[in-house]
Short mmCIF file of all heavy atoms in Angstrom, two decimals:
data_model
loop_
_atom_site.label_atom_id
_atom_site.label_comp_id
_atom_site.label_asym_id
_atom_site.label_seq_id
_atom_site.Cartn_x
_atom_site.Cartn_y
_atom_site.Cartn_z
N LEU X 52 -16.96 -6.24 -12.35
CA LEU X 52 -17.67 -7.50 -12.56
C LEU X 52 -19.13 -7.39 -12.09
O LEU X 52 -19.77 -8.40 -11.84
CB LEU X 52 -16.98 -8.64 -11.80
CG LEU X 52 -15.49 -8.91 -12.11
CD1 LEU X 52 -14.95 -9.99 -11.19
CD2 LEU X 52 -15.30 -9.30 -13.57
N GLY X 53 -19.62 -6.18 -11.94
CA GLY X 53 -20.99 -6.02 -11.48
C GLY X 53 -21.03 -5.79 -9.98
O GLY X 53 -20.76 -4.70 -9.51
N LYS X 54 -21.31 -6.86 -9.22
CA LYS X 54 -21.33 -6.73 -7.76
C LYS X 54 -19.94 -6.84 -7.16
O LYS X 54 -19.72 -6.58 -5.98
CB LYS X 54 -22.22 -7.81 -7.13
CG LYS X 54 -23.70 -7.59 -7.37
CD LYS X 54 -24.46 -7.80 -6.05
CE LYS X 54 -25.84 -7.21 -6.11
NZ LYS X 54 -25.98 -5.99 -5.33
N SER X 55 -19.01 -7.29 -7.99
CA SER X 55 -17.63 -7.42 -7.49
C SER X 55 -16.66 -6.75 -8.45
O SER X 55 -17.04 -6.30 -9.54
CB SER X 55 -17.28 -8.89 -7.25
OG SER X 55 -17.55 -9.64 -8.41
N LEU X 56 -15.42 -6.67 -8.01
CA LEU X 56 -14.35 -6.10 -8.82
C LEU X 56 -13.25 -7.13 -8.97
O LEU X 56 -13.06 -7.97 -8.09
CB LEU X 56 -13.74 -4.86 -8.14
CG LEU X 56 -14.65 -3.68 -7.81
CD1 LEU X 56 -13.87 -2.64 -6.98
CD2 LEU X 56 -15.18 -3.04 -9.08
N LEU X 57 -12.53 -7.04 -10.08
CA LEU X 57 -11.32 -7.84 -10.25
C LEU X 57 -10.15 -6.87 -10.16
O LEU X 57 -10.05 -5.93 -10.95
CB LEU X 57 -11.34 -8.52 -11.63
CG LEU X 57 -10.05 -9.25 -12.02
CD1 LEU X 57 -9.82 -10.48 -11.14
CD2 LEU X 57 -10.10 -9.65 -13.50
N ILE X 58 -9.30 -7.08 -9.17
CA ILE X 58 -8.14 -6.20 -8.99
C ILE X 58 -6.89 -6.95 -9.44
O ILE X 58 -6.55 -7.98 -8.86
CB ILE X 58 -7.98 -5.75 -7.52
CG1 ILE X 58 -9.26 -5.02 -7.04
CG2 ILE X 58 -6.76 -4.83 -7.36
CD1 ILE X 58 -9.15 -4.42 -5.64
N VAL X 59 -6.26 -6.42 -10.47
CA VAL X 59 -5.07 -7.07 -11.03
C VAL X 59 -3.85 -6.22 -10.68
O VAL X 59 -3.80 -5.03 -11.01
CB VAL X 59 -5.17 -7.18 -12.57
CG1 VAL X 59 -3.92 -7.85 -13.13
CG2 VAL X 59 -6.43 -7.94 -12.98
N ALA X 60 -2.88 -6.84 -10.03
CA ALA X 60 -1.64 -6.12 -9.71
C ALA X 60 -0.64 -6.39 -10.84
O ALA X 60 -0.22 -7.52 -11.05
CB ALA X 60 -1.08 -6.59 -8.36
N THR X 61 -0.28 -5.34 -11.55
CA THR X 61 0.71 -5.48 -12.62
C THR X 61 2.11 -5.39 -11.99
O THR X 61 2.24 -5.24 -10.77
CB THR X 61 0.57 -4.35 -13.66
OG1 THR X 61 1.02 -3.12 -13.07
CG2 THR X 61 -0.87 -4.22 -14.16
N ASP X 62 3.13 -5.42 -12.83
CA ASP X 62 4.50 -5.29 -12.33
C ASP X 62 5.03 -3.87 -12.47
O ASP X 62 6.23 -3.64 -12.35
CB ASP X 62 5.41 -6.28 -13.06
CG ASP X 62 5.00 -7.72 -12.78
OD1 ASP X 62 4.69 -8.02 -11.62
OD2 ASP X 62 4.97 -8.53 -13.73
N ARG X 63 4.11 -2.92 -12.68
CA ARG X 63 4.54 -1.52 -12.76
C ARG X 63 5.12 -1.07 -11.42
O ARG X 63 4.71 -1.54 -10.36
CB ARG X 63 3.37 -0.60 -13.13
CG ARG X 63 2.77 -0.86 -14.50
CD ARG X 63 1.84 0.28 -14.95
NE ARG X 63 0.58 0.35 -14.25
CZ ARG X 63 -0.57 -0.22 -14.66
NH1 ARG X 63 -0.62 -0.95 -15.76
NH2 ARG X 63 -1.70 -0.05 -13.96
N ILE X 64 6.06 -0.13 -11.49
CA ILE X 64 6.64 0.43 -10.27
C ILE X 64 6.74 1.94 -10.44
O ILE X 64 7.01 2.41 -11.55
CB ILE X 64 8.02 -0.19 -9.95
CG1 ILE X 64 8.56 0.32 -8.60
CG2 ILE X 64 9.02 0.06 -11.09
CD1 ILE X 64 9.81 -0.41 -8.11
N SER X 65 6.50 2.66 -9.36
CA SER X 65 6.69 4.10 -9.43
C SER X 65 7.77 4.49 -8.44
O SER X 65 8.02 3.79 -7.45
CB SER X 65 5.38 4.83 -9.11
OG SER X 65 5.02 4.58 -7.77
N ALA X 66 8.44 5.58 -8.74
CA ALA X 66 9.42 6.14 -7.82
C ALA X 66 9.31 7.65 -7.92
O ALA X 66 9.11 8.18 -9.03
CB ALA X 66 10.83 5.69 -8.19
N PHE X 67 9.40 8.32 -6.80
CA PHE X 67 9.20 9.77 -6.75
C PHE X 67 7.92 10.15 -7.49
O PHE X 67 7.87 11.13 -8.23
CB PHE X 67 10.42 10.49 -7.34
CG PHE X 67 11.73 10.09 -6.68
CD1 PHE X 67 12.68 9.36 -7.37
CD2 PHE X 67 11.97 10.39 -5.35
CE1 PHE X 67 13.87 8.97 -6.76
CE2 PHE X 67 13.15 10.02 -4.73
CZ PHE X 67 14.10 9.29 -5.44
N ASP X 68 6.90 9.29 -7.32
CA ASP X 68 5.56 9.55 -7.87
C ASP X 68 5.43 9.43 -9.38
O ASP X 68 4.41 9.84 -9.95
CB ASP X 68 5.02 10.92 -7.42
CG ASP X 68 4.29 10.80 -6.10
OD1 ASP X 68 3.73 9.72 -5.84
OD2 ASP X 68 4.29 11.78 -5.32
N VAL X 69 6.43 8.90 -10.05
CA VAL X 69 6.34 8.72 -11.49
C VAL X 69 6.44 7.22 -11.80
O VAL X 69 7.27 6.51 -11.22
CB VAL X 69 7.50 9.46 -12.22
CG1 VAL X 69 7.41 9.26 -13.72
CG2 VAL X 69 7.47 10.94 -11.86
N VAL X 70 5.57 6.72 -12.69
CA VAL X 70 5.63 5.32 -13.07
C VAL X 70 6.83 5.13 -14.01
O VAL X 70 7.01 5.90 -14.96
CB VAL X 70 4.33 4.87 -13.77
CG1 VAL X 70 4.44 3.41 -14.23
CG2 VAL X 70 3.14 5.02 -12.81
N LEU X 71 7.65 4.14 -13.72
CA LEU X 71 8.87 3.91 -14.48
C LEU X 71 8.57 3.07 -15.73
O LEU X 71 7.57 2.36 -15.78
CB LEU X 71 9.91 3.20 -13.59
CG LEU X 71 10.20 3.91 -12.26
CD1 LEU X 71 11.29 3.17 -11.49
CD2 LEU X 71 10.62 5.36 -12.49
#
Side-chain angles (χ1 to χ4, degrees):
L52 303 175
K54 288 226 163 254
S55 53
L56 301 173
L57 172 68
I58 302 185
V59 180
T61 71
D62 297 318
R63 296 194 288 266
I64 185 171
S65 65
F67 306 112
D68 272 331
V69 180
V70 177
L71 306 183

